[in-house]
Amino acid sequence: EALSKPYVAKLMRILHKGGLVQSIRGQKGGYQLVHTPNQIKLSTVLNCLGGRLYSERFCKQYSGAKKTCVRNADCSLRVLWKTLDDTVQLVLSELTLQSLNCGEQQMLAKVNHFVSDMEQSGLAITPKWGPSRMKNVQSKPMQNILSK
C-alpha cells in the first residue's frame, strides 16, 4: 500500500488504543489482532480509526459564522448524509476482516448477494425527520448475509 512507517505506527497505536490489536515485545515482537479476523467487524475498525461518514455534531461544528446552520430546520444534505452513513454502517456491520480476504469478483458477489437479500427482505433504510432534527433510521437487522 506504500504507507510510510510512521503512518503505519500511528494507525497501529490507534488500533491498539481501540482494543483491536495487542503489542508483542521482543525481537520478534510487533502487533497481533486481539480477536480472529472473522470476529472483527469492519464497522468497528473504521469507527476506531476515524468514525462515521456523518455525525449529528457535524451541523454544529460547521455552522459557519452563526451559532447554528441556517438550514438547521430543513436540510436536504443532512438527510442525504445520514441515509448514506446508515447504509454504509449497515453493510460494514456485516463485513468482517476475514471477508476482505478475497478478490474483487468474490467481493462483488458478496455485495450483490447482500443487495439481493435486502430487496427480498424488504429492507429499506427510511429516514424519518422532525421539524428540526433527524431521528434514527429504521431498519431490520441483517444476519450474516456477507459471510456466505
Side-chain angles (χ1 to χ4, degrees), residues 44-78:
T44 303
V45 176
L46 292 180
N47 285 334
C48 180
L49 290 173
R52 299 174 73 122
L53 291 175
Y54 173 79
S55 166
E56 292 287 337
R57 296 183 312 238
F58 182 83
C59 295
K60 293 176 184 160
Q61 289 175 326
Y62 302 100
S63 59
K66 298 188 177 196
K67 188 173 182 176
T68 60
C69 179
V70 296
R71 303 262 184 247
N72 194 40
D74 185 23
C75 181
S76 61
L77 287 175
R78 181 175 50 229

Side-chain angles (χ1 to χ4, degrees), residues 42-124:
L42 291 183
S43 58
T44 303
V45 176
L46 292 180
N47 285 334
C48 180
L49 290 173
R52 299 174 73 122
L53 291 175
Y54 173 79
S55 166
E56 292 287 337
R57 296 183 312 238
F58 182 83
C59 295
K60 293 176 184 160
Q61 289 175 326
Y62 302 100
S63 59
K66 298 188 177 196
K67 188 173 182 176
T68 60
C69 179
V70 296
R71 303 262 184 247
N72 194 40
D74 185 23
C75 181
S76 61
L77 287 175
R78 181 175 50 229
V79 172
L80 173 64
W81 280 108
K82 179 75 171 130
T83 303
L84 289 172
D85 177 59
D86 287 332
T87 303
V88 167
Q89 289 298 318
L90 179 66
V91 173
L92 294 179
S93 69
E94 295 299 323
L95 288 168
T96 64
L97 285 178
Q98 180 65 40
S99 67
L100 294 177
N101 190 19
C102 66
E104 190 170 340
Q105 292 302 315
Q106 292 89 353
M107 182 56 72
L108 181 59
K110 290 177 183 186
V111 170
N112 285 338
H113 188 264
F114 179 76
V115 170
S116 174
D117 280 356
M118 283 179 62
E119 290 171 350
Q120 289 176 7
S121 69
L123 177 65

